[in-house]
Amino acid sequence: MPTAVLVIGAAVFALGTSEFMLSGLLPEVADDLDVSIPTAGLLISAFAIGMVVGAPVLAAATQRLPRRLTLVVLLAVFGVSHLAGALAPGYGVLFATRVVSALACAGFWAVGAAVAISLVPVGARARAMAVLLGGLSVANIAGVPGGAVLGQHLGWRAAFWAVALLTALGLVGVLLFVPGTRPPSAAERVPLRTELRVYRERRVWLAMVTTALFAAGTFCFFSYLAPLLTEVTGLGEGWVPVVLVLYGFGALIGTWFGGRLADAHLFGTLYAGLAAAALVLALLALTARQPVAAVTLSGVLGLAAFLCGPGLNARIFNVAGAAPTLAGATATASFNAGNTLGPWAGGLVINVGLGYVWTAWLGALLLLAALVGAWLQSRDETRSSVGRRVAGGGRRAAAPEPTRAPSAGE
């Protein structure tokens, strides 16, 4: 891998740490800013909203800009947003900084992926994307628990200072190691109007809704994991980073297996992952007051949930393949639409007095809805395959839509 690709992956570590670290800091943020924990949970939704809006908009808007300059500017905006967040006098300012930093994060993902792909041969594109996704996985294992430790010992603002520092290091790395790369020429670009036509297709929207329901079900519970562990399970604050590490390792293992299983059995992998994640959340709801069960099942949840991630991404790329610029942005926006809905829905059940345990029950229901969405997609695919055979007059039909995860840039 070129050094530039590794540098971009390292920058993604900072971005991923920021995106998920508040899950381990909600009690500290709520106490310091004098808001309820569900209100503090909306800060997670704020970041997700920025990603939903920023991914498609910035993917299209930065097509013609110098890529290294774009990466530098986006990282600078991301870092300054965290400095402002660390100094935020109140909840409103912190909320605004989360939206701005999310917009920059979404843009960096879109442009960074394009740069990484341009720096390697076609046969190494998937590995280049794996480096970027690896930065996100390591953020779940090290960055998020590390942010929780900083927040518990030095205050939640220390975690924002740390992300700003990591972002500055990433910015220096981009300046030093990422070469100047030209944007795609007019001949290489697919017109945006042409790409937008994919949103007329039912199967694209069904894939997006399924992905959003999956993310909503996962983050409905995960966003409030820290207060559940301390207030329901009865564990000390020091256990929160430990559980987050277990969840992160589970997510890394689930992603590894999911990517390989989905290549051969996309819908089967989705069925297994979504059903398993729903079951784990139901078991968590039933055993939340038992420390051993709660800690163990939190790690298993990471594995079961992230088993679905590669397949859900692959499905969106498959059905939106005619939109090379917007396909990745569509996947990102779908996941983050769920990340917006999940914390909000979890906050609702807490505010009405049902308690933190009900975030697990509601999450399980949302995952079952995603399972139905996966089944509907599979049924559509079967009907499409039958239609192709009928249209062929009994002759062997053209090969059905591939279920492998596409290499980056396809």
Side-chain angles (χ1 to χ4, degrees):
M1 277 296 113
T3 303
V5 176
L6 301 178
V7 167
I8 295 172
V12 168
F13 169 75
L15 273 58
T17 297
S18 173
E19 181 173 4
F20 301 118
M21 70 181 181
L22 283 182
S23 298
L25 297 172
L26 288 186
E28 290 79 10
V29 173
D31 183 62
D32 183 51
L33 299 181
D34 195 24
V35 297
S36 68
I37 286 182
T39 299
L42 292 178
L43 294 169
I44 300 173
S45 295
F47 198 98
I49 290 171
M51 292 286 286
V52 170
V53 175
V57 171
L58 288 172
T62 58
Q63 273 187 312
R64 303 182 182 184
L65 299 178
R67 289 173 172 173
R68 182 173 62 180
L69 175 62
T70 303
L71 291 178
V72 169
V73 171
L74 290 171
L75 282 176
V77 172
F78 190 81
V80 170
S81 297
H82 282 77
L83 292 177
L87 299 171
Y91 178 82
V93 173
L94 182 59
F95 190 96
T97 66
R98 295 301 288 168
V99 174
V100 173
S101 61
L103 290 171
C105 179
F108 187 91
W109 266 103
V111 181
V115 172
I117 290 170
S118 72
L119 295 175
V120 298
V122 174
R125 286 180 173 180
R127 281 188 291 149
M129 288 303 296
V131 171
L132 270 64
L133 294 173
L136 190 61
S137 297
V138 175
N140 276 295
I141 295 172
V144 176
V149 171
L150 282 176
Q152 291 170 4
H153 291 86
L154 300 175
W156 65 268
R157 297 174 190 271
F160 279 72
W161 286 110
V163 170
L165 176 60
L166 289 172
T167 305
L169 294 175
L171 190 153
V172 172
V174 169
L175 285 171
L176 292 178
F177 297 106
V178 175
T181 54
R182 66 173 182 84
S185 66
E188 295 170 332
R189 290 194 301 268
V190 177
L192 186 60
R193 181 178 299 178
T194 301
E195 295 201 26
L196 289 173
R197 291 174 186 166
V198 300
Y199 296 117
R200 298 176 182 175
E201 298 186 25
R202 175 180 181 270
R203 61 180 189 163
V204 172
W205 285 100
L206 191 54
M208 293 169 62
V209 170
T210 302
T211 300
L213 287 170
F214 156 77
T218 303
F219 278 87
C220 179
F221 171 78
F222 183 73
S223 298
Y224 301 98
L225 178 58
L228 181 139
L229 292 173
T230 56
E231 298 186 25
V232 178
T233 309
L235 295 172
E237 286 187 347
W239 274 96
V240 173
V242 175
V243 175
L244 291 175
V245 168
L246 288 175
Y247 181 91
F249 272 112
L252 185 62
I253 295 170
T255 300
W256 191 89
F257 278 106
R260 283 148 183 79
L261 293 173
D263 281 341
H265 307 287
L266 190 149
F267 288 111
T269 304
L270 293 185
Y271 294 155
L274 291 169
L279 177 61
V280 171
L281 282 177
L283 291 174
L284 271 165
L286 293 171
T287 62
R289 290 176 173 80
Q290 302 175 25
V292 174
V295 170
T296 303
L297 288 172
S298 294
V300 176
L301 177 63
L303 190 157
F306 278 80
L307 189 69
C308 308
L312 290 168
N313 266 303
R315 178 61 181 172
I316 289 181
F317 271 95
N318 288 342
V319 298
T325 300
L326 294 180
T330 298
T332 300
S334 300
F335 275 104
N336 283 281
N339 294 352
T340 303
L341 175 64
W344 173 78
L348 281 183
V349 299
I350 296 169
N351 282 330
V352 299
L354 294 176
Y356 295 112
V357 170
W358 262 90
T359 63
W361 285 120
L362 181 56
L365 291 174
L366 290 168
L367 286 168
L368 289 177
L371 183 61
V372 173
W375 174 76
L376 289 173
Q377 291 183 73
S378 176
R379 188 182 66 170
D380 281 357
E381 208 55 38
T382 300
R383 287 178 175 177
S384 177
S385 178
V386 171
R388 284 192 292 266
R389 287 197 296 271
V390 172
R395 298 186 303 273
R396 182 175 179 177
E401 174 193 346
T403 57
R404 66 175 180 85
S407 61
E410 284 189 318

